[in-house]
Every structure is written in structure tokens, then in C-alpha cells.
Amino acid sequence: MSKSLGNGIDPLLLIDRYGADAVRFALVREVAGAGQDIRLDYDRKKKTSQTVEASRNFANKLWNATRFALINIGQVNIEDSKIINKSKLQLSDRWILSRLARINQETSDRFKSYGLGEAAKGLYEFAWNDFCDWYLELIKRRLNPGANPTKAQLDDQQIAREVLSKVLRELLIMLHPLMPHLTEELWHALLGNSYEELLALQKWPKLEITQLDNELEQSFSELFSAIRVVRNLRAEAGLKPSQEVPVRFVSSRLDLCETLHKSEADIRILTRANKVDILSLEEAEGIAEVKALAGVSGELEVVLPIEGLVDVDALRARLEKDLRKANDEINSLTGRLSNSSFTSKAPKEIVVECQQRLSEAEAQSDIVRSRLSRLD
């Protein structure tokens, strides 16, 4: 922010629009440790900043996550995390606790070395993606077991509550140096402590090295990628959000199939599936061919049978249109790149961009061709 009068950004305008913590977090996340001057985006006519707005959205995300916790577990008085019965943890609980331990370790190291920007980015990714987007979705069914829950369901509900409270409490402590006003407010709301007790005076969360599980984190990363593929296929097929369909996963990796089997109930919820089949390559070969859409995520093939569920002719017409668009892009880019005058005179970054666009168009064309073949 320039100090020259009329040549900079008045931080008070941004604070009035987005809040002090949003401005603070945006500057730390995008500027601190960058090693050079970074221009903060700012629309002088509208007096807005997309960068600061993104941090304001992050603050809203934390607020809503805390509100979700208060609705489902009330105020927390669990101070000793050791009371969590680790033998009863679900796979998703072990995953989020591993991710929590990892971000604790990384953030501590970054703060010690004054890597404030990297610390902010790491906490942002953990809070937004791992905690809010995935874990909260995974435990919703466990937090609400129904009208007549069994003892096992009640025990599982309590475990989910304890893990949720632990992760949120420790996340607020780690975020406090970067967003002090918001985290102080949320921490008091969650714990119900007196306002004479300050979050800033709390000890840094104890690092539980035994919670770290590299293999489990990798398995869940693959699981989430597979769920994204299913969601993309649903959108491509034009299925309604409430419409339930069968889903089929095929892989030669036994460890990945085992993770999918253990997470089958979660997959049903997150993909709106009425049936989940997890097959090896050999088992899949014995399945009769049906009209379906398919996608690949790493070493996993995802198949979405759509016969009798959607208008196949309309879907085929839409895919053929996408194929023509991809092929037109390929022909255009191939023509430009085969022109020696263009490749020799154009800036290097423009040529590289054209090559990347050509690769993407060719990959898109292959995907659409494969999906069209499954509709025949």
C-alpha cells in the first residue's frame, strides 16, 4: 500500500467493507514472505478487492462451521482430548485427526521461521477443504442418527462430537495470530468461557505425532477425487441433485478398494447413490455392458450407469456438440503451431500457452469420444 497521498489504498475503506480480520488475513496470505512487492488488487471505482473479499468469505466459512458445531453439539466443555476413545474412531475421524496433526506441525514450523504467508495458506486449505468441505459433510449423518437411535449410533454420535470440537478448538487457536478478532469471538461462543479469558493466552495445541497416517491421507485424497468424478458425471448427465443413481468403482488396487468399502455409507451420501459397487478388474469384466458415463481418477475407473435414467439421445447430442467444439479448437491450434512464422515470431509464453491449450483440447476430445462410445 503506497504511502503517497491519493496513490494508495485506504485500509479503512477495506476494513469497513470486509472487516479488519479479512484485510489482515489477505495481506498476510498474499503478501507476507513473497520476497517482492505485490500489488493488491483494488477497484477504485467500486472500492472493492477480490483478494480481501476471498478472505472475508473464508471468515464466513469459519463462522458457519462454528454455528454448525453449536447447533449439533452445543457449547463444548471437553478440555482433555485424551478422553476420546480412539478404538471407536471411524475412518474419517482418523483421517481428519491425521490432517490436524500435520497442519499443527507445519504451521508451528512456519511460524517459528516467520513463514507467515505459508502458514496462512496452509491453514486456509485445511479449514476450507479438509474440515469444512469434507469432514463436516462426512459426519452429518452421524450427528443426526434418527428418531430411535441404537446405543452404537449414540456412541458414534458422541465420538463425532468430540472429534468435531477438538478440531475446531485447535483450528481457532492456530488461526488466532492471523484473524484475532473473529477467532476470539468464535472460541468464546464455542466454549462459553468468560471474556476475561483470552484465546491469545491459550497454549498451542499439543502435537500428537501418533495421529499422523500418510497412507490414510493418500487413500482419502483418492476417495475425494473419485467423488468429484461422480459429481462431474452426474452434472454432465443432467441428473437432478435429488435423483439417486447407481455408481460403480473399478480398480486393481486392493488397498484402494478396501478404503472405498469402508467408506461406502459416506459415498452413498456424498454422491446421492442408491447402490455402490466396488469391483476388481476381473469382477468388472463379468458385468454386462450398459449405457453409462465413465471417468478416471488415478488408478480408479468410475462408471455411472444411466440407462433408463436420462434422455440418452439428448445426452449424445450434447456430447457430440462438445466433441465438435474440442476438435475445432484442435484444428485451430494445430494450424497455428504448424506455422513456422508464428512459432518463430510469437513470444515464447504465447507459444507455450497454445501448446498447453492443444494438449487440453486433445485430452477433452479423448474423454468425450470415450463417453460417446459407452452410449452406443
Side-chain angles (χ1 to χ4, degrees), residues 301-354:
E301 181 185 20
V302 182
V303 181
L304 190 72
I306 58 172
E307 193 166 0
L309 298 174
V310 300
D311 186 337
V312 176
D313 291 335
L315 177 58
R316 183 185 289 109
R318 190 163 68 249
L319 289 174
E320 289 173 346
K321 181 180 179 180
D322 292 341
L323 182 60
R324 287 194 298 270
K325 182 178 179 181
N327 288 339
D328 288 344
E329 180 82 352
I330 291 171
N331 292 334
S332 174
L333 292 170
T334 301
R336 295 180 68 184
L337 292 171
S338 61
N339 186 338
S340 58
S341 178
F342 169 75
T343 54
S344 61
K345 296 180 180 180
K348 183 179 179 180
E349 58 270 19
I350 298 297
V351 176
V352 171
E353 181 186 355
C354 287

Side-chain angles (χ1 to χ4, degrees), residues 248-267:
R248 185 187 307 159
F249 298 104
V250 181
S251 179
S252 59
R253 280 181 47 198
L254 296 179
D255 61 323
L256 180 53
C257 289
E258 182 180 358
T259 299
L260 293 172
H261 274 297
K262 291 180 178 179
S263 306
E264 185 174 334
D266 295 324
I267 294 173

Side-chain angles (χ1 to χ4, degrees), residues 23 34 37 54 61 82 102 107 118 122-123 153 162-163 165 172 184 229 246 284 298 308 329 332 355 374:
V23 176
D37 289 340
K61 195 83 168 177
K82 293 181 181 179
R102 192 170 306 283
T107 304
E118 291 303 312
L123 287 167
Q153 288 176 318
E162 292 172 4
V163 174
S165 67
L172 292 175
E184 188 79 51
V229 172
E329 180 82 352
S332 174
Q355 291 171 339
R374 286 184 172 270

Side-chain angles (χ1 to χ4, degrees), residues 103 105-116 118-119 122:
I103 197 62
Q105 185 179 55
E106 292 174 350
T107 304
S108 179
D109 292 341
R110 287 162 180 166
F111 278 149
K112 287 177 182 177
S113 61
Y114 298 98
L116 303 181
E118 291 303 312

Side-chain angles (χ1 to χ4, degrees), residues 234 244-247 267-276:
R234 286 181 59 97
E244 295 186 342
V245 295
V247 178
I267 294 173
R268 286 176 180 268
I269 298 296
L270 296 175
T271 64
R272 300 296 298 175
N274 54 15
K275 181 182 180 184
V276 177

